[in-house]
Amino acid sequence: MTITALPITAHPAVEGGLQLEVTDVSPQTESIVSITLADPSGARLPPYVPGSHLVVQYGSGVNAYSLTGSGNGPSEYNISVLRVEDGAGGSVAMHQLDVGDRVYVSRPRSAFAPASTATHHLLIAAGIGITPVLSHARAAADRGTTSSLIYVYRPGAGAHVEEARDLLGDGLTECSDRNSFHAVLTEQLMTQSLGTHLYVCGPVAFMDAVLDQARELGWPPARLHSEAFGAAELDDGEPFTVNLVRSGLKLDVPAGVSLLETLEKAGKTIPNMCRKGICGECVLPVLRGTPQHRDLYLTDQEKAENTTMMCCVSRSEDPELELDL
């Protein structure tokens, strides 16, 4: 089944990217499939920073998937996709790909890079969160730096388990229940050497629990890194007005309606992808007012500066917000 192939127009999120061919499709679990993509001509692909992701177009939609390789001189890109039946349809389409299909992809993007000054990398993953974390582990092995991994997954539902075992050996700790994970996490957070950086990927609640415990045990924010694979449910928020300075428009944003939706209804084309405050595609410049930041993309410092906002989930603390749009 060909999901995307020329002459279908590339989505804005993958413009300037690549058209790659599916060269292998392998099941990891009943719900996770690994997909290998390569240049049809056999050319080398652009290298990438460990923890990077690709935006992949399926039909007219797009979604982001983490790369599992080290990023060093790749001849192919490998991603793993969890099938989500009640999602937007992207994972289902990806699971229907066959060898020989061609897809549009962006060039690799990084929002979860390893710290170059780290003396050790403590990697923590839950479920499909293993994908960018595995990339970190591969890159650390290539560079000759050390890493260890705590991997939480339900029995029979772990992806890349054998690869992680081969790659990390005794540095891998596998957990299948909350109590064992909590004990392992506490012990490892309390015994890491100076200079260790922590990287966590998984559901939002899982990551919050890990990061909160690390902070309580004295880990500085600069040594904590995370990437989310799901957005928390948000309340409807308060209504506000947005003033688009360059357009000369003033729009009302009702409760329960996102700023992105309001802008789209007014005829504005805003680059976007996840619509969950994760990918960073829909960033807009703020001229006046205080955004109510509800995204998972901007850093705490960027949120405090209040000069940008993610319009898919964020709202306004003030009755009116002024944007450079």
Side-chain angles (χ1 to χ4, degrees), residues 177-198:
D177 63 86
R178 184 177 301 178
N179 290 335
S180 64
F181 169 66
H182 180 73
V184 168
L185 177 64
T186 301
E187 189 273 335
Q188 294 212 22
L189 288 177
M190 295 179 66
T191 57
Q192 293 299 318
S193 60
L194 187 66
T196 297
H197 280 243
L198 181 154

Side-chain angles (χ1 to χ4, degrees), residues 259 277 279-284 293 295-298 308-315:
L259 174 56
C279 70
E281 287 290 311
C282 67
V283 63
L284 291 178
H293 297 289
D295 65 275
L296 299 168
Y297 182 83
L298 294 175
T308 57
M309 68 182 295
M310 298 301 159
C311 65
C312 63
V313 293
S314 296
R315 302 185 68 81

